[in-house]
Amino acid sequence: MPVVDLDKIPQVPLAFVNDDHREEARLLNELADAVRGHRDGRVAVGTVIHRLEALFDHTREHFAREEDAMRRTGFPPYPMHKAEHDRVLEDMESEAQHFRETGDTARLWSYVADAVPSWFVAHIQSMDHVTAGFVAARGG
Ligand SMILES: [Fe+2]
């Protein structure tokens, strides 16, 4: 079972942001599958680390695309949205580092199956929704 249902991701009025969210969810589901498999002894630790890196890389690029659109259109609460992105990237990096150092699968599972999906949906419904509306009204 996926941790995020691709068909239930809240949509915002900006296509590139929806595309990024779909890819983010796809990578998160792949990571969750690897963590579950690793916990059951079927998947190597290297696969988990590789998928963590793939998720981190995409998250950084996806946030940068949103931030670029906010700067281009002069979105006033840009610093608040950017600070939230920075906090999430720092968390993701520190969870990945903790897993590389300790191999703590239970903690990583709670991060990928609970913390990230909850944050993801709430963030889309609040900051991304408002941002996409503002950017779309200014022609993207
Ligand atoms: Fe965002």
Side-chain angles (χ1 to χ4, degrees):
M1 223 183 78
V3 293
V4 172
D5 183 339
L6 295 191
D7 296 325
K8 291 193 178 142
I9 301 170
Q11 298 294 291
V12 300
L14 209 52
F16 85 86
V17 178
N18 290 326
D19 291 347
D20 267 337
H21 289 162
R22 194 173 176 84
E23 178 65 2
E24 183 86 12
R26 193 186 67 77
L27 291 167
L28 182 62
N29 286 334
E30 280 193 355
L31 171 60
D33 281 347
V35 176
R36 209 187 273 117
H38 181 62
R39 190 182 58 192
D40 299 343
R42 292 180 285 106
V43 171
V45 68
T47 302
V48 176
I49 289 170
H50 181 77
R51 291 187 185 182
L52 259 170
E53 285 166 358
L55 179 67
F56 183 81
D57 288 348
H58 179 264
T59 306
R60 198 179 45 205
E61 290 160 12
H62 140 214
F63 286 175
R65 278 189 281 275
E66 287 181 15
E67 289 159 16
D68 182 56
M70 286 188 259
R71 282 194 304 267
R72 234 173 32 230
T73 55
F75 182 61
Y78 167 77
M80 200 173 83
H81 195 158
K82 163 86 168 122
E84 176 66 3
H85 285 172
D86 290 348
R87 184 191 67 74
V88 169
L89 285 174
E90 269 176 40
D91 268 12
M92 199 174 279
E93 181 56 42
S94 95
E95 288 294 333
Q97 190 179 344
H98 188 265
F99 179 73
R100 284 193 300 267
E101 287 170 4
T102 65
D104 185 344
T105 308
R107 174 171 163 154
L108 183 59
W109 175 251
S110 136
Y111 179 68
V112 303
D114 294 329
V116 179
S118 306
W119 170 82
F120 181 61
V121 170
H123 182 78
I124 293 172
Q125 287 172 328
S126 55
M127 290 192 187
D128 288 346
H129 183 77
V130 173
T131 300
F134 183 92
V135 172
R138 278 151 190 83

